[in-house]
Amino acid sequence: MAEHILATLGTPPPTVPPLAPETLRMWRTAEGIEWRKVRFQTELGEFIPAYLLVPPRPEGSMPALVVLHQTVPQGKDEVVGIHGDPELAYALDLARRGYVVLAPDSLAAGERVGKGEEPWSTAPFYRMHPGWSAVGKAVWDGQRAVDYLVSLPFVDRKCIGVIGHSQGGIYAIFLAAFDPRVKVVVSSCGLMTFAGDPTRPLRWARDQGWIGIPALREPLQHGAPPWDFHQLVALIAPRPFLATAATEDRIMPHAAPALEALALAVHPLYAAYRMPDRFKVSVFPGPHAFPPAEQERAFTWLDRFLKAPRLEIEVGAAVTTMLAAHQEGAMTDSSYFAAISADSLAHYALAHFWAAEGLNRPELTDKGVQLLQQAVNGATVGQGWAGWGLGAPWDAFQDGSTNSPKQVYTYTTARVGLALLEASRSGKAPWAPEEAHRATRSLVEQVGYNRFPHGIAFRYSDADPDRPYTVHNVNAVTAQFLLDWQSVSGDQRYRDLVRRSFDYLISQQDPDGQWVYRLGSTGRNDTVHHALIVEALYDCARKLPKGSCRGTADRALTALMEHFVDSNGAITDPGDPPWALGEVLIALQSGCEAGSDYTDPACAWRDAIVQRALAHDYNPEGYFYNNHNPRAQGWIAAGLARVLAGLQVEKR
C-alpha cells in the first residue's frame, strides 16, 4: 500500500544530503522560552528556514513536535505568533506547555517564496522536479524536519509528534504515514476523502497555483482515485491519530460528513490492533478553523502520548526510592491498630506487585508476597485484628452503633482480600486464593451481607449524621472485593449480592456526584473515602458493563477533582493529603483505563496531578509532604505504582 501511494507522489531525489544545520539567531523571552532561528538542508543546496522553540529544560530529554502552518503567505510566522491570526499561534502555546517545537516554512510559503514568485505557487518547484509532486516534497521536507529534531541532544527521539491546521493538517497526515518516527499526529481540518469531495476533486491536481499531486488529475476526473485517505490512516495505525473537522467549512465543505464516514472505515483497523481508542474524530460547529476548545483537545491528546513516557521515568524513580525508604512495622496486639497495620501492609504489597509490572522487576513481587503474608498472619494475632473472624457480631453495628473498629475490620478484610487476588494473579502465592476465599466467607456469612435486600448497603443510623460516609466507603470496597473474587475464581454465588450492592450505591449518589456526606465537610479522610468509591465503581463498570456504574463513577470522579485540585492546579484537601494522594491516583488510573479514548479527563487529571506532586511535594529521599508516617507513604507508593503499571500497559 505504501509503495502504491508513493508511486503517485512522484520520484524524489536519489540521495539525502547532510543536514548541515545552522543557528542563525538565538534569544530568550521573559517566560524562559529559548527561541532559535535555524535552517537545515533538505535537498542539496536547498535549506529550510524554521523557528525552534525550546522550553526551560528539565533533566533528561524532552518531547518534540513538528508544527505545520496553514495556507498563509507568512508561513511559520503565524504559528509562532509573530504575524497572522493570534489564535493560530499554537506552536508557541505548545512550547509553553513543555514541548520542543520546530516550525518550518512549507514549500512556497514564508521565506521559501522566490523573488517575483507568488506565495503557494508550485510552478518553480515543478520546473526543477517535473517528475515529483508538491505533496511528495512535503513528505521529504517533513522527514528532514524530524531528522533535525532527533539530532538535538535534548530531544527524546521516542517522543516526536506532528500537528498542523488546514494545509498543515494535510501535510501532517502524509508525514506520519511515511515516517514511523512520528509517534502521534493531530490534523485540524486536514483529513478528508477524495470520494467525499465531489464538487472539488481537482483541488489536488489543479493546472495552476498549488498543484499537490499531478498524477491524480486524470483518475480524479474520472472519479476513480487509485487510493484514498483511509489508506493513509491505515499506514499510521495503530499510532494515535486525532482529526478535527468543522460543520460549516467552506474550504472543505464535505469534510465533516466524509470524516465521519472515514472513521467508520478506520475504527475496525484500530480495533484489530486492540487499540480502538487511538483514533479519534472531533467534529465541531463552525467554520474552517482551529478554535481554542479544539486546540485544548489536541494538546491533551499530545500530552497523553508524548508526555506519558517521561512521566513513566519520573514515577518509576519515585516508586523505587519510596519502596526502599519505607517499611511497615510488625503487627500490634491492639485490635484497631492491628487492622490499620494490616491495611498498610496490604498497600505496600500492592505497591510492590504493581511496581514489579511497571519497572519490570519480578523480584518485587516476592517482597510483596512477604508483606501480604504478614497481613494475613495478623488476621488472628492475639486479641488483635479480628480479620477473617471479624470479632463481635455485626448486629450492634447494624443497629446504629458507632463501633468504629468494626467497620475498620470489614474494610481491612476487603482490602487485604483485593491484595490477595492481585497476589494470586502473580502466580507466586499459591496460598492466596484460599485465604481470599476465607475472606469472602467471613464477609458474606459472618457479617451477614447476604441477608439484606440492598446487598452490601449498611449505613450508620441517622442519629449519628457525621458517620455515614465511612460506611459507603466500606460497602464499596467490600463489593469490589467480592466482584473481583467472582472474576478471578469463577465463583458466581455472590453475583446477585454484588449487583444489588452496586445498584444501591448508585441509587444513593446525589446530582452533584457525591453521597450523603459532602467532600470537604468533615475534614476526616473524606477524599480518601470518596476515591475508594470511585475506584470500586470503575471496577464495576469494567466487569458489569451493562449497568450504570460508569456514569456514576464519572460523576463522582468529576466531583472529586473539583474538590481535590484548586483553580491553579494545586492539590488541596482539607482532610489529610498524604492519605488522599495515593487513593486518588488509583481512582484516576481506574478512570483512565475505563475511558473510551486517551483524551478522557481522568488521564489528563492523572498526569497533571502526578507531575505537580512530584515537582512540588516530593522529597528525593522518598517522602511526600515531609510526612514520615509509613502508612501515608505506603498509600502514596501504591498509587504511584498503580499509575506506573498502567502506563506500561498503555505503552504496550
Side-chain angles (χ1 to χ4, degrees), residues 83 104 330 552 583-584:
H83 180 53
T552 308
E583 209 60 55
V584 166

Side-chain angles (χ1 to χ4, degrees), residues 244-409:
T244 73
T247 58
E248 301 169 30
D249 191 329
R250 293 186 177 182
I251 298 174
M252 302 177 184
H254 302 281
L259 184 55
E260 292 173 335
L262 183 146
L264 293 175
V266 168
H267 272 302
L269 175 61
Y270 275 82
Y273 281 110
R274 299 184 181 272
M275 297 180 186
D277 44 9
R278 292 195 172 198
F279 180 77
K280 179 72 173 178
V281 167
S282 175
V283 177
F284 61 92
H288 186 89
F290 198 8
E294 295 305 309
Q295 289 188 33
E296 183 57 35
R297 186 188 305 275
F299 298 169
T300 300
W301 182 266
L302 293 169
D303 287 349
R304 177 67 196 89
F305 292 102
L306 294 181
K307 287 187 176 179
R310 286 196 51 79
L311 191 65
E312 176 188 331
I313 294 170
E314 295 166 0
V315 173
V319 168
T320 300
T321 303
M322 292 185 76
L323 294 183
H326 306 294
Q327 294 295 331
E328 175 61 27
M331 302 292 294
T332 72
D333 284 337
S334 163
S335 60
Y336 182 86
F337 287 104
I340 295 294
S341 183
D343 177 31
S344 181
L345 283 163
H347 274 84
Y348 273 108
L350 287 168
H352 281 79
F353 296 149
W354 291 328
E357 181 180 354
L359 296 169
N360 194 26
R361 290 179 54 191
E363 74 276 8
L364 291 175
T365 300
D366 298 327
K367 178 62 177 177
V369 169
Q370 294 173 16
L371 292 167
L372 189 56
Q373 184 71 70
Q374 280 186 262
V376 172
N377 290 344
T380 55
V381 58
Q383 298 299 312
W385 173 38
W388 307 158
L390 286 170
W394 187 264
D395 292 342
F397 188 43
Q398 180 189 2
D399 292 338
S401 166
T402 58
N403 181 7
S404 182
K406 173 61 77 172
Q407 57 97 1
V408 172
Y409 300 154

Side-chain angles (χ1 to χ4, degrees), residues 574-635:
D576 192 11
W579 300 108
L581 177 60
E583 209 60 55
V584 166
L585 290 177
I586 295 175
L588 286 168
Q589 183 62 39
S590 298
C592 184
E593 291 172 359
S596 60
D597 58 68
Y598 290 133
T599 61
D600 191 279
C603 304
W605 286 332
R606 177 202 65 187
D607 294 351
I609 287 174
V610 169
Q611 289 163 350
R612 185 174 183 91
L614 289 173
H616 298 280
D617 303 312
Y618 178 62
N619 182 316
E621 295 180 359
Y623 295 92
F624 278 84
Y625 307 103
N626 289 319
N627 184 303
H628 289 223
N629 182 320
R631 186 188 186 204
Q633 300 306 321
W635 280 45

